[in-house]
Amino acid sequence: MNVDKFMNDLEKKHQGEIEYLQAVREVLESIEKVYNENPQFESAGIIERLVEPDRVITFKVPWANDEGNVNVNLGYRVQFNNAIGPYKGGLRFHPSVTLSILKFLGFEQIFKNSLTTLPMGGAKGGSDFDPKGKSRSEIMRFCQAFMLELWKIIGPNTDVPAGDIGVGGQEIGYLYGMYKKLARENTGVLTGKGLNWGGSLIRPEATGFGVVYFAKEMLGTIGETFLGKTVALSGFGNVAWGVAQKATELGAKVVTLSGPDGFVYDPAGISVEKIEYMLELRATNEDIVRPYSYEFENVEFHQDKRPWEIKVDIALPCATQNELDIEDAQKLIDNGCLCICEGANMPCTPEAIETIQKHKILYGPGKAANAGGVGTSGLEMAQNAMKLCWPAKEVDARLHQIMTNIHETCLQYGKQPDGYVDYVKGANIAGFLKVANAMLDLGLV
Ligand code: NDP
């Protein structure tokens, strides 16, 4: 395989799908050598088969708002690859959702799920519906209308969706309620469920906790810890609050959080009480970043800016794709940042990653660092299948173990001769090998 030639052909086939093409190129560049050293992959057409989803399902989602006006959104499910287990990946509700974004997320999900060591394939789905500013009943009606189509193609052993941007516990509840009514069964068909109806303890905070467990391992390779460090965080959603909580617990001071309109800088640190306040605000479905700056003293709001200009030891982007570019990376490096670890999927641009790695700063890619979310979803599926509910301590211990194992795997495939760890390479090669070998075992299907 020649990556440039391969990407040329793929770009012609999928013109304009920028995020998807970006994600594919990143993986191919990491695995090119391993792929070419194993001619069995080439002769089985593994790459050609891996980069195309098994199928893409699109549907319309008609729903009525509180005034009775009819709205129509687009719904999608991208079932990418199920070589190692049922399709698995979140649902994103956000106006920026396009097929390209869902294909990039579904493609990444294949390798992330493979890294968890649990039997889960890769998928992603969602809609261009914007939950922001919508009433609870509007969100419920939308979720029900969405599930009216989605339920036909999902199942506990077929395809198991979860949350993502704009889809938290409440939305999963409305989606699952409708699924149960249609399918007439209680099964682990969605993860991120509420505790009273099949959910797992620790799942809400799992992605964020996992990011911090992973970053802790990374810091350990240079003899550092979270204790006494300052942390810049972006977003304040499903992922970011768990990150803030665990980093604070480990003795770090989280000094920023952000939204699409800017970031807040709180030099005193976002304490546990402040996190509680933010969680209450989040439940209102309104903007939350600016109100934070009004509520607490000595907090600065930086309109239309990103948190990466603040001098910190650790940066944890947890909002969205391509939110940390080369200039941001350079600022962090100039300010002495030790570690950049991704809570979000693909938040750093390719140029930013290149700069970070060139300066030998610790860099943890999302597909490894945020895999604790889907890892704990896998644990939720296991508990559902056994009709059991493990205690929080047990789930947290398993999550911790999953993150430590992923870190070990990254070291195994990513350690360079000079000792620097290329976590991108480590994660991509390890994730790829398991799926590719499974595809070989399963034959041409
Ligand atoms: P949420 O919707 O819960 O949170 C996203 C946060 O980011 C919100 O605070 C949002 O602000 C903010 N945000 C959105 N767009 C921007 C932007 N352009 N600039 C700055 N801030 C922005 O989503 P999640 O926390 O679930 O997901 C965040 C990221 O983590 C995504 O990349 C997702 O794919 C990834 N991820 C999520 C997992 C999960 O378990 N949920 C698992 C693994 C990865 P506002 O609400 O004001 O719009």
Side-chain angles (χ1 to χ4, degrees):
M1 170 189 54
N2 174 295
V3 175
D4 285 331
K5 183 176 174 312
F6 186 90
M7 286 307 301
N8 251 338
D9 294 343
L10 200 68
E11 276 157 23
K12 277 186 209 134
K13 256 200 250 178
H14 301 288
Q15 285 178 24
E17 296 190 1
I18 296 165
E19 297 84 1
Y20 160 68
L21 294 165
Q22 179 183 334
V24 173
R25 179 178 277 281
E26 187 219 272
V27 170
L28 296 195
E29 283 177 349
S30 305
I31 62 157
E32 185 174 14
K33 187 161 173 286
V34 174
Y35 193 82
N36 290 334
E37 282 168 1
N38 289 276
Q40 69 276 24
F41 294 148
E42 182 87 46
S43 47
I46 293 292
I47 274 306
E48 288 77 0
R49 289 160 59 199
L50 199 52
V51 300
E52 296 292 350
D54 287 351
R55 67 195 61 81
V56 174
I57 297 111
T58 65
F59 46 93
K60 68 169 182 277
V61 189
W63 59 282
N65 67 11
D66 289 342
E67 286 73 47
N69 300 322
V70 173
N71 293 265
V72 180
N73 286 96
L74 295 175
Y76 306 88
R77 186 69 180 163
V78 179
Q79 295 181 332
F80 227 112
N81 185 293
N82 67 352
I84 63 171
Y87 299 109
K88 178 92 195 88
L91 298 172
R92 177 176 290 193
F93 292 168
H94 194 271
S96 66
V97 162
T98 60
L99 188 55
S100 168
I101 288 186
L102 297 179
K103 279 173 66 180
F104 120 62
L105 290 163
F107 183 69
E108 290 279 290
Q109 198 80 44
I110 303 170
F111 308 101
K112 184 189 304 195
N113 293 1
S114 160
L115 285 171
T116 66
T117 71
L118 301 175
M120 298 181 290
K124 202 79 189 185
S127 171
D128 59 356
F129 172 74
D130 186 0
K132 200 166 261 180
K134 303 288 188 303
S135 70
R136 275 196 162 217
S137 53
E138 285 174 328
I139 290 181
M140 182 178 75
R141 282 198 295 279
F142 176 80
C143 289
Q144 291 175 339
F146 186 85
M147 187 50 85
L148 219 45
E149 283 299 323
L150 189 73
W151 83 284
K152 300 169 191 165
I153 53 157
I154 60 174
N157 297 309
T158 319
D159 183 351
V160 185
D164 189 76
I165 292 181
V167 180
Q170 179 62 85
E171 291 73 22
I172 293 290
Y174 294 145
L175 290 162
Y176 188 54
M178 193 57 166
Y179 177 86
K180 255 157 45 81
K181 192 172 174 87
L182 293 164
R184 295 185 295 129
E185 57 182 31
N186 272 284
T187 49
V189 71
L190 288 165
T191 57
K193 298 188 291 301
L195 274 183
N196 294 332
W197 35 277
S200 171
L201 286 158
I202 305 292
R203 177 61 190 93
E205 49 275 74
T207 311
F209 279 18
V211 172
V212 176
Y213 293 149
F214 192 83
K216 181 171 160 254
E217 294 298 317
M218 294 172 73
L219 288 166
T221 64
I222 56 165
E224 288 288 358
T225 68
F226 268 94
L227 190 63
K229 301 290 187 303
T230 47
V231 176
L233 190 70
S234 61
F236 201 80
N238 298 323
V239 178
W241 77 267
V243 168
Q245 190 167 317
K246 188 51 84 178
T248 307
E249 215 176 288
L250 295 184
K253 188 160 76 168
V254 176
V255 293
T256 70
L257 52 90
S258 74
D261 52 345
F263 77 94
V264 289
Y265 174 48
D266 183 350
I270 300 165
S271 60
V272 174
E273 295 73 35
K274 290 174 179 173
I275 294 172
E276 290 294 321
Y277 165 81
M278 292 299 286
L279 286 175
E280 279 167 32
L281 264 188
R282 259 194 74 205
T284 63
N285 242 353
E286 300 294 335
D287 280 340
I288 57 171
V289 172
R290 208 186 288 252
Y292 180 98
S293 67
Y294 301 146
E295 181 73 14
F296 301 107
E297 279 178 13
N298 302 320
V299 175
E300 297 165 13
F301 177 69
H302 295 252
Q303 174 93 37
D304 297 328
K305 293 271 177 60
R306 293 158 164 180
W308 319 126
E309 62 189 56
I310 301 293
K311 180 174 165 45
V312 287
D313 303 306
I314 299 164
L316 305 172
C318 295
T320 193
Q321 64 275 354
N322 294 330
E323 54 155 323
L324 194 158
D325 63 19
I326 187 166
E327 282 90 28
D328 298 320
Q330 196 57 56
K331 271 184 230 157
L332 286 166
I333 294 163
D334 292 346
N335 282 331
C337 183
L338 300 170
C339 172
I340 299 168
C341 185
E342 299 181 339
N345 284 313
M346 217 167 75
C348 297
T349 63
E351 298 76 23
I353 298 169
E354 203 184 322
T355 303
I356 298 163
Q357 292 192 321
K358 204 171 78 197
H359 286 81
K360 308 277 175 190
I361 307 292
L362 293 174
Y363 167 70
K367 72 166 70 68
N370 70 32
V374 73
T376 309
S377 280
L379 301 178
E380 183 175 328
M381 287 162 72
Q383 292 170 79
N384 290 163
M386 292 188 292
K387 314 273 187 234
L388 283 177
C389 188
W390 293 332
K393 217 169 153 192
E394 180 168 355
V395 181
D396 193 27
R398 285 177 188 265
L399 164 65
H400 205 150
Q401 191 62 55
I402 287 172
M403 297 318 295
T404 317
N405 289 348
I406 296 176
H407 185 265
E408 271 302 307
T409 308
C410 288
L411 292 193
Q412 186 188 340
Y413 291 99
K415 199 159 190 171
Q416 306 298 291
D418 65 357
Y420 179 70
V421 183
D422 185 339
Y423 286 92
V424 179
K425 203 168 169 186
N428 283 337
I429 293 177
F432 165 76
L433 281 176
K434 181 174 172 186
V435 176
N437 284 320
M439 288 171 75
L440 286 181
D441 292 345
L442 295 168
L444 183 54
V445 286

